[in-house]
Structures are given as structure tokens and as C-alpha cells.
Amino acid sequence: MKRRAFLFAVTAAAFVPALAQGKPIKIGIIGSGRIGSTFGTLWAKAGHEVMFSDRDMEQAKKAAEGVGARARAGTPEEAVAFGDAVLIAVPYGALPAIAQQVGDKLKGKVVIDPNNPVPARDGELGAQAKEKGAAISTAAIFPGARLVRTFNSWGYATMAREANRPAPRMAMPVAADDAGALKVGVQLVSDAGFDPVPAGSLAASKAFDLGSSVSGKVMTADEMRKALSLN
């Protein structure tokens, strides 16, 4: 078991830098609604390949058809197997079901997390996550996943409108506990058309949770760093 763990660590360490060098990668998407379809489209336009999945397969197929040749549709299990990185974009209360379905397969994967707990919708799980901090709560649901927190404090319409605007581009904070995963997250934020702002650990990302002082505001990178006291 120790040897297997060692080999896994070596493989992961070698794998992540390749993702972070700006080369096209495969991205699995769980949840093909507004957030999932928006970022799948942006990443495909940047040259990445994407696989959409959803509990409604017709929704996933529709999202893939809207993107074109760089997109396909599959089940969540297929999307996880396909992706070098995985975006999960579902209502927060659905995360435990996703974990039960594919959690083991997400161990070691870079997982992009834009999911926001809303107590009125997500019940006690949402209330606890909102108080504790969304990212560290999500990380506890997906142990072993290399979680990256980003895209979470802005509506999809704002992000779709601002993506790939002329400089200065809209700033997007990115947080992770894993340095390699952070590099991948920064690259994917940039490829989606935003100016990535590394913002510390998953615990620190509570500073840009939904409802925070920066939530919903379109800022430059300098403005974002100042607002989050990163300077």
C-alpha cells in the first residue's frame, strides 16, 4: 500500500505541471446548466476538449451540441474518467450525491469548485457550509480531490459577459491547498477569459464566498488584491 501511494504521488506530481503549461487538456463537467455550459463553451473556444454530463442526459447533449467539435456528452462517471480536470457545477445540496456516485474516482483529480451553499435551498448542509466556509466544506465532501475554489461569487450572466473582454480583464480569485492544482486553476481561469488572482488556501477563500464584500463586483486584478488584502 505504501508503494502504491508513493507511485500515485509521483504520477500526480509529474502530471499537474503538464496541465499548467498552457497546453490543451480534457475537462469533464458534472452539471450542464448555466455555469457548466458557460465554462465548457469558454474552455472549448480556448482549445480544450470538454465532456458535459448531467442527471438529464438530454441537457448534457444539448450543451455539447451548442459547443461543437471539441465537446461531447456522457455520464458523470464518463466525464470524470475523461477529464484531466473536472468542473462540478450543481446545487450545493446535490454534492453528497455526486460524491457517492463518483467521489472515489475524483481522488487525485483537480476539481474546480464554483458551488455555493444557499441555506434556504440546501437546508442544514447549506447552513453549515455557509458558516464554515464553502470550499473547506466541499473539500470534506470530496476527500482526496485536489480542490480549486473559483468562479463562485458571480452570476453566470456576468461572467459570460465579461469573459475575454479587452484588458484589463475581470479579475477572478483562485484558491487551493495544493500548489499544483492552483497552477491548473490559474491556467483554466485565464483560458476562460479572466485575470486570475491567487488568493491563498481553501480556508482563506471564505473571503470571496457568495455574499462577501467582493461578491458580484467586477474588478481589475489590482482592485481584487486590494479588496482581499493580498497586496
Side-chain angles (χ1 to χ4, degrees):
M1 290 298 293
K2 288 183 178 180
R3 177 174 174 77
R4 179 182 296 179
F6 171 77
L7 290 174
F8 174 82
V10 170
T11 301
F15 178 61
V16 169
L19 291 182
Q21 290 173 356
K23 299 177 181 178
I25 66 168
K26 295 178 179 180
I27 305 168
I29 298 174
I30 299 176
S32 300
R34 292 168 173 174
I35 293 292
S37 61
T38 294
F39 284 98
T41 299
L42 291 169
W43 285 326
K45 287 181 178 178
H48 300 295
E49 293 182 58
V50 299
M51 177 181 282
F52 293 99
S53 70
D54 197 273
R55 61 181 181 179
D56 179 355
M57 180 56 79
E58 291 306 312
Q59 176 95 353
K61 290 178 179 178
K62 182 179 179 181
E65 288 168 0
V67 171
R70 289 196 178 96
R72 65 196 76 180
T75 65
E77 291 88 349
E78 289 169 336
V80 172
F82 171 85
D84 299 319
V86 177
L87 169 70
I88 301 177
V90 299
Y92 202 88
L95 291 179
I98 299 295
Q100 186 173 14
Q101 186 176 6
V102 296
D104 285 347
K105 297 177 178 63
L106 288 170
K107 291 180 179 179
K109 292 263 187 180
V110 174
V111 175
I112 308 300
D113 169 37
N115 303 290
N116 290 308
V118 179
R121 179 194 64 194
D122 303 312
E124 185 62 25
L125 176 68
Q128 291 178 358
K130 188 172 180 64
E131 181 178 353
K132 188 176 182 181
I136 57 174
S137 299
T138 303
I141 295 172
F142 296 101
R146 307 170 75 185
L147 204 73
V148 177
R149 181 70 167 166
T150 191
F151 302 133
N152 58 283
S153 241
W154 294 265
Y156 82 96
T158 297
M159 293 188 286
R161 182 189 70 229
E162 294 295 328
N164 294 306
R165 285 283 187 98
R169 299 194 299 180
M170 175 180 171
M172 189 64 62
V174 190
D177 290 342
D178 179 300
L182 179 64
K183 290 181 180 179
V184 176
V186 164
Q187 184 64 54
L188 291 180
V189 167
S190 179
D191 289 350
F194 302 94
D195 200 350
V197 175
S201 67
L202 294 178
S205 74
K206 188 175 182 181
F208 61 89
D209 269 355
L210 187 67
S212 68
S213 62
V214 302
S215 181
K217 297 179 181 178
V218 177
M219 301 180 178
T220 66
D222 285 344
E223 290 169 341
M224 181 65 71
R225 281 189 284 267
K226 183 177 180 180
L228 294 176
S229 300
L230 297 172
N231 291 328

